[in-house]
């Protein structure tokens, strides 16, 4: 439990692709290196960036989702982060949120009282940067812009032009980071390649931290953190799936929110972890098994040949263990998975489901979920983000679904006795 006054700062940008993830990682490492007691969080429904935050800061990172989480939940999660300082990486652009325009990083910053450190990609502009910054500053006068970091600056002359243009904006420039092709992280279809799969990630973050320390004023950035409205309190948490929950965890199954694990442990559930890719079986005494999302489509052959894993899952199905899969885990519960090359891989066959990644189609958005027959709660909020499609899905649906605007999307997922799953990533209860 964090008993000190929490101070926080949000790192945001005008749009995705501005470099805020790398800047956040570099700042976390640079501030840690000068002795700051710091941890991190990610705004929105992102499973991948928190893994990088944990490496950069040396502490676990959590998600703060202003659309799916209640205000008291946000305050509790932020306050519970270890360290006196909390750096929150925004998602997308500062004013971008759900389809109804709510739940943007700006709204989260206002809700928790966080100043904003604004990262601007300056690679293709000079004096126009003043108009851009003025527009973001004046769009909502309830925000506190603590400073600007100019990213991808081309030269000393370019930096001078930018600083001169911003001189009258009254938001200080706290750093100018040069354009460096080495400051890039590999990506795939759902975002960055996961931290655990990225070779030399420690060296990358260390070098980025040194670059930031050279080109940014760390003392002024440290002073930009301000006390927040966060408070640890008793909030309604997601109930555990069982008393003894086995969770799949490897490069194929890695999309699980830290607050889910913490919720279940705090309510007395015993958690164990296993790797289907290593052909490991869930504990025999488990009364619930969770297959999170991830990248099973990249490991179809290995999963299809994991005979020990498959047999154990069938045994658990027959003895009545609750088995739940989200997105990639849902696909694995099906009969078959077709990868991007058109190759079909036999999956567990626990649901009448056939999925394909051969013809990619984006499914994306926040979801309101309702069910009368599911252990995590009757009304839930979640997120859908995948490129695969269901070629066959037969059986009892799991959820009634609406989007963020309240439009009816019909049903989603499947349930067959004690086996259930859907493409939805559950974030929190209503």
């Amino acid at each position: 439990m964090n008993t000190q006054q929490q101070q926080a700062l949000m790192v945001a940008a005008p749009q995705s692709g501005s470099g805020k993830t790398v800047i956040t990682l570099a700042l976390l490492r640079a501030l840690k290196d000068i002795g700051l007691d710091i941890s991190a969080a990610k705004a929105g429904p992102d499973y991948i960036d928190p893994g990088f935050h944990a490496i950069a800061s040396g502490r676990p990172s959590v998600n703060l989702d202003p659309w799916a989480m209640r205000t008291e939940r946000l305050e509790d999660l932020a306050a519970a982060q270890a360290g006196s300082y909390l750096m929150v990486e925004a998602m997308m652009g500062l004013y971008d949120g759900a389809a109804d325009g709510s739940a943007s990083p700006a709204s989260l910053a206002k809700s928790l009282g966080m100043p904003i450190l604004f990262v601007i990609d300056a690679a293709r502009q000079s004096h126009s940067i003043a108009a851009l910054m003025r527009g973001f500053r004046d769009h909502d006068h309830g925000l506190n812009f603590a400073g600007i970091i100019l990213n991808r600056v081309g030269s000393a002359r370019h930096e001078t032009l930018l600083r001169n243009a911003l001189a009258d904006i009254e938001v200080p420039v706290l750093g100018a980071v040069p354009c460096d092709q080495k400051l890039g992280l590999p990506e795939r279809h759902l975002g960055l390649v996961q931290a655990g799969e990225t070779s030399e990630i420690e060296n990358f973050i260390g070098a980025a931290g040194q670059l930031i320390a050279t080109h940014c004023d760390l003392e002024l950035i440290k002073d930009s953190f301000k006390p927040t409205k966060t408070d640890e309190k008793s909030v309604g948490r997601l109930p555990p799936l069982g008393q003894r929950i086995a969770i799949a965890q490897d490069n194929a199954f890695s999309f699980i929110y830290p607050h889910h694990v913490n919720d279940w442990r705090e309510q007395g559930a015993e958690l164990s972890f296993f790797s289907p890719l290593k052909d490991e079986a869930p504990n025999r005494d488990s009364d619930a098994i969770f297959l999170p999302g991830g990248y099973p489509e990249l490991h179809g052959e290995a999963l299809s040949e994991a005979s020990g894993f498959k047999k154990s899952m069938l045994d658990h199905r027959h003895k009545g263990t609750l088995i739940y899969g989200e997105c990639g885990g849902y696909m694995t519960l099906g009969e078959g998975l077709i990868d991007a090359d058109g190759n079909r891989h036999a999956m567990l066959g626990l649901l009448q489901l056939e999925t394909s990644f051969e013809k990619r189609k984006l499914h994306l958005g926040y979801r309101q979920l309702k069910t009368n027959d599911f252990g995590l709660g009757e009304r839930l909020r979640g997120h859908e983000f995948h490129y695969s499609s269901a070629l066959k899905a037969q059986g009892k649906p799991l959820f009634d679904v609406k989007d963020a605007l309240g439009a009816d999307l019909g049903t989603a997922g499947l349930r067959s006795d004690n086996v259930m799953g859907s493409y939805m990533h559950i974030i929190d209860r209503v």
Side-chain angles (χ1 to χ4, degrees):
M1 177 181 292
N2 182 16
T3 59
Q4 303 182 58
Q5 173 66 55
Q6 184 73 264
Q7 298 196 77
L9 179 69
M10 174 178 281
V11 179
Q15 61 189 23
S16 296
S18 299
K20 63 179 178 291
T21 296
V22 172
I23 295 294
T24 299
L25 299 177
L27 283 170
L28 286 169
R29 176 55 58 85
L31 292 169
K32 178 189 175 189
D33 286 346
I34 64 171
L36 210 65
D37 187 22
I38 194 165
S39 60
K42 173 70 180 186
D46 188 307
Y47 291 97
I48 298 174
D49 289 352
F52 289 94
H53 294 169
I55 295 173
S57 69
R59 286 174 166 154
S61 176
V62 296
N63 294 82
L64 302 174
D65 195 305
W67 185 84
M69 294 176 176
R70 293 147 289 148
T71 300
E72 59 268 27
R73 170 71 120 171
L74 295 170
E75 293 179 0
D76 178 70
L77 285 172
Q81 280 296 84
S84 304
Y85 294 84
L86 176 66
M87 178 170 286
V88 179
E89 181 191 349
M91 72 285 198
M92 302 185 293
L94 179 61
Y95 295 109
D96 299 326
D100 59 1
S102 67
S104 66
S107 69
L108 179 63
K110 290 175 70 174
S111 174
L112 299 185
M114 291 183 290
I116 296 167
L117 182 61
F118 208 50
V119 177
I120 302 178
D121 180 358
R124 293 177 176 84
Q125 58 184 319
S126 58
H127 292 86
S128 293
I129 199 169
L132 184 149
M133 187 63 227
R134 184 176 285 109
F136 272 87
R137 182 199 64 187
D138 295 344
H139 185 73
D140 186 340
H141 292 287
L143 296 176
N144 173 14
F145 285 88
I148 301 165
I149 289 184
L150 302 171
N151 194 26
R152 299 171 184 147
V153 177
S155 64
R157 180 176 179 273
H158 186 205
E159 179 181 344
T160 299
L161 289 173
L162 295 167
R163 286 182 179 272
N164 289 341
L166 291 165
D168 295 331
I169 299 298
E170 298 180 349
V171 179
V173 176
L174 303 183
V177 182
C179 186
D180 189 333
Q181 295 300 319
K182 292 181 289 186
L183 287 182
L185 289 166
E187 300 184 25
R188 60 163 65 111
H189 52 279
L190 296 181
L192 296 176
V193 174
Q194 298 173 95
E197 300 178 71
T198 305
S199 63
E200 301 296 323
I201 184 60
E202 175 60 38
N203 291 338
F204 173 87
I205 292 176
Q210 292 175 9
L211 186 70
I212 282 286
T214 301
H215 295 279
C216 296
D217 191 324
L218 295 184
E219 286 300 319
L220 289 180
I221 291 173
K222 174 184 174 182
D223 292 341
S224 299
F225 287 79
K226 298 300 179 186
T228 68
K229 302 174 185 176
T230 60
D231 182 30
E232 289 187 83
K233 57 187 68 178
S234 177
V235 296
R237 305 187 187 279
L238 283 169
L241 294 168
Q243 179 60 37
R244 298 176 300 280
I245 309 172
I247 302 174
Q249 186 176 68
D250 54 30
N251 287 338
F253 305 97
S254 58
F255 291 179
I256 181 168
Y257 290 118
H259 68 273
H260 287 184
V261 173
N262 294 335
D263 280 1
W264 296 343
R265 281 180 171 149
E266 288 179 8
Q267 295 173 83
E270 302 170 20
L271 306 186
S272 60
F273 299 86
F274 67 100
S275 171
L277 288 181
K278 294 180 180 179
D279 201 17
E280 295 176 355
N283 284 351
R284 295 180 63 182
D285 66 348
S286 302
D287 57 13
I289 298 171
F290 179 31
L291 302 184
Y295 292 100
E297 67 272 15
L298 302 181
H299 305 278
E301 183 174 358
L303 291 173
S304 69
E305 295 176 354
S307 57
F309 164 61
K310 285 187 168 182
K311 181 180 184 304
S312 68
M313 293 295 288
L314 287 171
D315 290 343
H316 275 286
R317 197 269 299 270
H318 291 314
K319 73 176 187 177
T321 302
L322 187 152
I323 300 173
Y324 169 59
E326 280 189 349
C327 202
Y330 175 56
M331 295 162 65
T332 305
L333 292 174
E335 297 168 352
L337 185 161
I338 300 172
D339 64 22
D341 296 322
N343 301 310
R344 184 185 184 277
H345 306 283
M347 294 289 105
L348 293 171
L350 302 183
L351 293 174
Q352 296 183 59
L353 173 71
E354 190 87 12
T355 56
S356 175
F357 195 76
E358 187 174 11
K359 295 181 180 179
R360 300 199 330 176
K361 180 181 178 182
L362 177 62
H363 304 79
L364 174 66
Y366 281 118
R367 302 291 183 250
Q368 303 177 57
L369 309 173
K370 183 179 183 298
T371 178
N372 294 318
D373 194 19
F374 185 54
L376 291 182
E378 181 179 349
R379 293 183 180 274
L380 302 159
R381 288 201 163 189
H383 189 255
E384 185 175 10
F385 184 21
H386 59 95
Y387 283 91
S388 68
S389 298
L391 303 181
K392 179 181 80 171
Q394 298 176 351
K396 180 182 178 181
L398 183 59
F399 295 120
D400 293 320
V401 186
K402 294 181 179 179
D403 66 11
L405 296 171
D408 188 357
L409 300 182
T411 60
L414 293 171
R415 175 161 192 167
S416 177
D417 297 323
N418 53 308
V419 181
M420 65 200 75
S422 80
Y423 274 119
M424 309 299 136
H425 295 279
I426 291 172
I427 301 173
D428 206 0
R429 58 190 293 187
V430 176

